Amino acid sequence: MDKKKNRRAFIKSAGRAVAGLLMVVALPKPGLAQRIHDIEVGEDAPDWLDHYWVYLIDTTKCIGCGACVRADKRENSVPPKFFRTWVERYQITEDNHVHIDSPDGGHDGFLPEDLAQLLTKVGQETRGAPQGKGRAKHQGKVTKGFFVPKMCNHCRNTPCTQVCPVNASYQSPDGVVLVDKTRCIGCSYCVQACPYGSRYIHPEKHTADKCTWCYHRITKGLLPACVTVCPTGARKFGDLKDQSSEIKKLLSTQRLNVLKPELNTEPFCFYIGLEQSVR
Amino acid sequence: MKAPRHLKRALWIIAFLFVAGNVIRFSVVPESFGQYGDFRGAHLAEERARHPIHRGSDICGECHDERLEEKNNGAHGPVPCENCHFQPYAGDEDHPEAHPEVSQSPDRSQRACLICHQFFPSRPSAFPQVAKFSEHIATNALKLKKEHVGAHTLCVHCHNPHNPKIDLKQNG
Ligand code: SF4
Ligand code: SF4
């Protein structure tokens, strides 16, 4: 009798302890702001470890010109039909339908196909007609519209590196998610793991490829190609460890959001003016 | 005292596994693996070694300084040269060959302009946009250069792409 009681008491208290532990574990993760400010990297590392990079996209400024997509293709020799960055157009009509399109990733802008062809003919000296198909068809007045440039979010808690069986995908100490092509075996687990569709398997190299935030540029003091060419300043890039940087100021004064925050991937690509219909 | 046979055999197996394991490990795991984390550390430097292509407008200004100043003072100031002049200037001290062999003549079609300036409901309303080219011509261009108005009118006939704003009062 006594023994049984003891056991019951033990199970009860053990249950409480486990529940308590679980609660500690399940405590909410630090908020966006805190995550931005508490980054540390060891001291005696090469100078590229003295940075922690962050990207900021102001959707209220983007005009959907596609200059960023074109620049990215040139800078990184991205094969046709694949994208490291692309621009999506959102059109919300009176009947509350959300029409999303991204003809050829926004590579040739968003001109209606017939108009683009016509203008190309008039222009004679142009460099070829736009290829993009797949513009959203809809009737009705657009009451709300905007463009959303997208790319790899360089998540700090990223699913793509976690699934890589050979550690070819990894996060660099300065916060950039990279793919070591000499190690990648092309299994495409990471392509499936990325919830943002940021990765693809290169059709010739047969290895995973994705945006590197132009690692070869940012480590030389240049901006990523897409940021360099954006005519409206919709794309911003900077170093969180540089206290006087513009990005630091923007991040601490603007109203930010990230894509799919519910997935806890902790993206380091922040958005200003992100509408709730954006997925 | 002689060691029992089964112990000896176990020792041999352990020794073999130790040697084989290490041989495999050192031949398969790259040298710099684990230098900065769970990845091949040398890849950081490899990725960094690539040559940048887009160089921004300032490098163009080293030769074309007047053009750059004109652009920078106008409404197209924030638009880098390479956006319209296509071929990005990849040259530097080590790679001077990238320019001027490459053709730098831009696309002069209306499409090149309207890719940014065609009216879309998705564009920020403060951004200068043309809803209908014919109307734009009817309201503005007739006041300007009559000889250009026709089926083959291009934006660049009236607007200087380096400084596109036209003072209607002055010209009208
Ligand atoms: S956006 Fe996709 S590819 Fe980029 S870090 Fe996140 S999960 Fe990985
Ligand atoms: S270059 Fe800038 S404005 Fe143009 S589509 Fe890209 S983000 Fe938008």
Side-chain angles (χ1 to χ4, degrees):
Chain A
M1 194 66 199
D2 237 347
K3 238 185 179 176
K4 244 188 187 169
K5 240 187 190 165
N6 268 345
R7 191 180 295 160
R8 198 171 290 161
F10 170 76
I11 290 174
K12 260 190 190 163
S13 57
R16 266 192 221 121
V18 167
L21 256 178
L22 274 180
M23 267 168 81
V24 172
V25 173
L27 267 183
K29 296 203 166 181
L32 280 188
Q34 203 182 328
R35 262 174 32 221
I36 291 172
H37 292 295
D38 68 353
I39 290 152
E40 273 171 54
V41 172
E43 271 171 26
D44 342 302
D47 66 341
W48 70 77
L49 303 198
D50 295 345
H51 309 279
Y52 206 91
W53 306 108
V54 62
Y55 205 103
L56 178 63
I57 295 176
D58 188 346
T59 57
T60 62
K61 284 192 183 154
C62 178
I63 56 168
C65 63
C68 46
V69 184
R70 296 191 288 278
D72 174 42
K73 289 243 169 186
R74 289 188 293 241
E75 182 78 34
N76 299 302
S77 328
V78 180
K81 297 205 182 112
F82 293 93
F83 301 94
R84 285 180 170 205
T85 184
W86 64 100
V87 181
E88 290 174 4
R89 172 169 62 175
Y90 280 70
Q91 299 176 96
I92 302 167
T93 41
E94 280 166 320
D95 51 2
N96 248 335
H97 271 105
V98 186
H99 304 272
I100 310 166
D101 61 354
S102 184
D104 215 357
H107 182 274
D108 295 301
F110 290 81
L111 287 174
E113 231 168 306
D114 45 347
L115 183 63
Q117 302 286 354
L118 179 83
L119 295 176
T120 304
K121 251 189 252 155
V122 172
Q124 277 151 18
E125 288 171 59
T126 191
R127 306 289 169 98
Q131 301 299 312
K133 296 250 178 334
R135 286 160 176 79
K137 303 244 178 326
H138 64 85
Q139 267 118 29
K141 201 169 161 271
V142 176
T143 51
K144 183 155 52 176
F146 47 88
F147 292 95
V148 184
K150 287 191 178 174
M151 60 198 293
C152 170
N153 290 257
H154 296 267
C155 317
R156 194 153 72 144
N157 188 17
T158 153
C160 57
T161 67
Q162 290 168 28
V163 299
C164 182
V166 293
N167 286 26
S169 281
Y170 64 95
Q171 181 142 37
S172 75
D174 45 356
V176 184
V177 175
L178 297 170
V179 185
D180 183 346
K181 285 176 193 79
T182 56
R183 282 190 73 70
C184 178
I185 53 171
C187 68
S188 77
Y189 282 166
C190 57
V191 178
Q192 295 180 46
C194 174
Y196 304 100
S198 308
R199 289 172 170 253
Y200 63 92
I201 296 289
H202 195 289
E204 278 143 37
K205 295 181 199 148
H206 305 292
T207 56
D209 196 34
K210 62 176 271 298
C211 157
T212 60
W213 274 351
C214 286
Y215 200 70
H216 61 297
R217 298 174 60 89
I218 60 176
T219 48
K220 295 182 185 114
L222 298 166
L223 289 169
C226 50
V227 180
T228 305
V229 301
C230 179
T232 61
R235 288 171 176 265
K236 296 257 187 307
F237 183 82
D239 181 4
L240 275 180
K241 298 198 159 183
D242 178 358
Q243 298 301 326
S244 57
S245 63
E246 190 201 355
I247 199 105
K248 191 99 192 178
K249 202 173 149 233
L250 283 169
L251 286 173
S252 47
T253 54
Q254 296 297 309
R255 297 162 201 190
L256 307 175
N257 206 344
V258 293
L259 291 171
K260 304 189 188 183
E262 70 279 10
L263 295 180
N264 267 327
T265 50
E266 299 186 28
F268 263 65
C269 177
F270 295 93
Y271 281 85
I272 297 175
L274 203 58
E275 229 268 338
Q276 60 157 346
S277 55
V278 178
R279 291 278 161 265
Chain B
M1 198 184 96
K2 232 175 131 193
R5 234 172 77 205
H6 67 280
L7 266 187
K8 243 191 187 168
R9 197 181 291 157
L11 276 176
W12 272 115
I13 291 176
I14 288 170
F16 172 78
L17 285 180
F18 180 79
V19 171
N22 272 295
V23 167
I24 292 175
R25 189 188 178 280
F26 283 107
S27 57
V28 169
V29 178
E31 201 184 328
S32 63
F33 198 93
Q35 195 180 356
Y36 304 114
D38 279 342
F39 57 93
R40 194 172 60 91
H43 181 250
L44 279 176
E46 285 167 27
E47 189 72 42
R48 194 188 196 191
R50 274 172 56 213
H51 184 61
I53 293 178
H54 292 76
R55 300 302 293 268
S57 299
D58 289 346
I59 201 156
C60 308
E62 280 176 20
C63 299
H64 312 277
D65 47 345
E66 278 168 27
R67 271 289 158 81
L68 182 64
E69 212 189 300
E70 185 190 6
K71 175 189 85 70
N72 283 349
N73 291 333
H76 274 168
V79 186
C81 308
E82 49 207 347
N83 280 26
C84 304
H85 291 269
F86 290 101
Q87 192 60 50
Y89 177 52
D92 59 13
E93 309 83 58
D94 307 325
H95 304 76
E97 71 284 357
H99 176 60
E101 275 79 355
V102 157
S103 158
Q104 301 288 307
S105 75
D107 185 347
R108 290 168 60 80
S109 74
Q110 289 168 21
R111 183 166 75 89
C113 307
L114 291 180
I115 215 167
C116 291
H117 292 288
Q118 168 71 40
F119 170 77
F120 290 146
S122 296
R123 288 206 159 128
S125 51
F127 187 77
Q129 297 167 62
V130 173
K132 245 192 159 159
F133 190 65
S134 53
E135 277 166 25
H136 175 75
I137 296 249
T139 52
N140 300 312
L142 278 177
K143 293 183 197 152
L144 300 167
K145 299 180 178 175
K146 286 202 177 64
E147 70 272 21
H148 285 314
V149 179
H152 291 274
T153 306
L154 299 185
C155 309
V156 292
H157 286 151
C158 298
H159 295 274
N160 168 10
H162 290 127
N163 185 10
K165 245 203 174 87
I166 297 173
D167 191 349
L168 272 178
K169 270 182 215 123
Q170 214 176 46
N171 288 276

